[in-house]
Amino acid sequence: MEPYALFALAAVYALVVWRLVPARVTPQGFFAAASRSGEPPQFWPLVASATISWVFAKSLMNVANLSQAFGIAGAMGYGTYYLSFVVAGVALYLLRARGGYRSLSQFVTAKYGAAAAKLFLLAVAIRLFNEIWSNTKVVGLFFGAEGSPTYWLAIAAFSAFTTAYAWRSGLRGSLLTDGVQMVLMGVLLALVLGAIAPALHGQGWPQVAAADSAAGWTFALLAFVQIWSYPFHDPVLTDRAFITPPGRMVRAFGAAGAIGGAIIVVFGLMGIAARSYGLDGSAAVAVARLLGLPLFLLVTGIMVTSAGSTLDSALTSMGRLGALDWHRAPDPMRRARRIAIAMAVVGNLPLLTLYLGDRIGPAIIAATTLSGSMVVGLAPIVLLGFLPGGPASFHLAFWPGLLAGILLTAAPELFPAGLALGSGQYALDAGVNLAALGVCTLGRLAGALWAVRASNQPPA
């Protein structure tokens, strides 16, 4: 009964979304979400789009698992990432209002040179690559056990459908569907909480050991260190910062950060419930199955809508990156559509490591925290963009953060234990990220000093 109900739910979702997507869009609509008359998106559509595009299926799964492990501290820790909206909104407002830049890649090119821009875009591409497999994996897990036929069928069907409507309408279609997906997810989330609250009340609020709670707050510290750089390597967010007037954008980003952060923290109750019931495995999946088929369908609906909004945005952003930012193609829409199709296939290949004996469940969180570690240098690169600079300024800030992130992934034992901040499994990550941010900032300041001295040198 369950598989048939799940695929019927998916069919209804697909029908509703397909009816919303415009059959034809202009290039301005495809890349900047403009209407047929050329009008930019209004305030609330931008709020809804920015919010739902950052309330990933991956994020919902993450916060449930973190709350299961660390209690409410885990939910608050993950919610801290949504302060990124404030950081990005203010920083990109200043870039647009004072510098007149039309994209973040244009700013990097103008300030630091073409080679720096290529490195920046490669970091962005890696981020988008991670967004594809980590979100389609979450959808697959709700349709079947990892590696089962229904798991792969759900991933293939979901990826193909989302790619089809992203190919059809680009960012305009993404914005239109995001609004409905946001409303749908809000209704489903309210129903889920209504079902969980009595069960959680009857079961009782779980006890959380002091060590577990401290580890959750350490994760919050890690998130706070990363929010100064994290949003700038996510074009799903930054592309939306350049499609409306700057004032409207910064207000919309503030609202989206508040709404998205609240949704994330509230969804953490799934993890609290899992801890209360003593459930193992993925918290959201386990609680939904425990409380019966109706709740399981509701939670699946939330995951599918949030994953769809993120996947179409990731494919659209990758298309823009390859067709406009990396090199402007003669026919940008055609190039962007081809890139979206290729990325939908390549972006799911990491899921095949299942057959190499590598279980990727914990890696969904790792994909977030480690990619954030590798790009801490983007904080001084963007936030100190008003200082003099050139290629050296970029490289002195970018490479230390990248090296720190790679070592955290491949050889964390190389870092001294005294570098750890807080306690628990994220203590070393927090300490290394803070130290790397300091080194990257010093590198950017050294680059500024170098640029000033070079400009004061008399010509040869």
Side-chain angles (χ1 to χ4, degrees), residues 450-460:
W450 187 341
V452 169
R453 289 183 173 179
S455 66
N456 290 333
Q457 293 293 323

Side-chain angles (χ1 to χ4, degrees), residues 24-348:
R24 297 179 63 184
V25 293
T26 64
Q28 188 68 6
F30 190 91
F31 291 110
S35 66
R36 293 296 294 270
S37 61
E39 291 295 317
Q42 296 300 308
F43 176 80
W44 283 112
L46 181 59
V47 171
S49 182
T51 302
I52 191 68
S53 295
W54 249 51
V55 181
F56 322 128
K58 177 187 75 174
S59 297
L60 295 172
M61 189 75 83
N62 283 351
V63 74
N65 291 340
L66 287 167
S67 299
Q68 181 184 29
F70 307 127
I72 196 63
M76 297 298 293
Y78 206 84
T80 302
Y81 274 109
Y82 288 75
L83 293 173
S84 296
F85 279 92
V86 179
V87 174
V90 173
L92 298 179
Y93 172 85
L94 294 175
L95 287 184
R96 295 185 62 190
R98 296 183 179 180
Y101 297 105
R102 298 185 301 276
S103 69
L104 193 52
S105 64
Q106 184 194 31
F107 159 74
V108 175
T109 303
K111 189 74 179 183
Y112 303 108
K118 298 296 187 187
L119 280 172
F120 167 72
L121 291 173
L122 282 174
V124 165
I126 292 171
R127 161 72 181 190
L128 292 173
F129 175 80
N130 280 335
E131 286 307 307
I132 293 172
W133 69 263
S134 59
N135 279 279
T136 59
K137 175 183 173 67
V138 171
V139 171
L141 287 173
F142 274 83
F143 283 79
E146 189 174 9
S148 67
T150 52
Y151 167 85
W152 288 118
L153 177 60
I155 288 174
F158 174 72
S159 299
F161 170 72
T162 308
T163 304
Y165 79 78
W167 181 94
R168 187 181 187 186
S169 58
L171 191 55
R172 180 63 181 172
S174 179
L175 202 78
L176 292 174
T177 55
D178 284 347
V180 174
Q181 287 164 334
M182 179 67 188
V183 172
L184 178 60
M185 194 189 73
V187 172
L188 295 175
L189 182 60
L191 293 172
V192 167
L193 293 177
I196 288 177
L200 188 58
H201 181 267
Q203 193 70 14
W205 196 267
Q207 294 295 316
V208 179
D212 290 340
S213 183
W217 292 117
T218 298
F219 182 83
L221 173 62
L222 169 62
F224 186 76
V225 173
Q226 290 189 346
I227 62 170
W228 305 99
S229 55
Y230 195 84
F232 303 122
H233 86 308
D234 184 8
V236 168
L237 180 64
T238 58
D239 282 356
R240 284 162 170 76
F242 293 88
I243 61 177
T244 61
R248 183 185 302 169
M249 176 276 295
V250 74
R251 292 192 301 272
F253 271 38
I259 296 170
I263 290 173
I264 284 295
V265 172
V266 169
F267 198 83
L269 290 175
M270 292 289 286
I272 301 293
R275 186 182 184 96
S276 180
Y277 279 103
L279 302 177
D280 295 323
S282 173
V285 176
V287 172
R289 288 192 183 279
L290 178 70
L291 297 181
L293 181 59
L295 181 66
F296 186 72
L297 291 175
L298 290 174
V299 176
T300 303
I302 290 174
M303 292 299 180
V304 170
T305 54
S306 60
S309 68
T310 301
L311 183 57
D312 68 43
S313 297
L315 295 175
T316 301
S317 292
M318 183 59 82
R320 177 190 171 88
L321 187 155
L324 293 180
D325 294 334
W326 186 272
H327 173 73
R328 188 175 184 90
D331 187 347
M333 281 179 61
R334 185 178 183 183
R335 170 72 65 81
R337 285 168 166 165
R338 289 178 173 177
I339 290 172
I341 294 172
M343 194 65 184
V345 175
V346 175
N348 277 309

Side-chain angles (χ1 to χ4, degrees), residues 1-6 293:
M1 176 63 183
E2 183 181 289
Y4 296 106
L6 288 171
L293 181 59

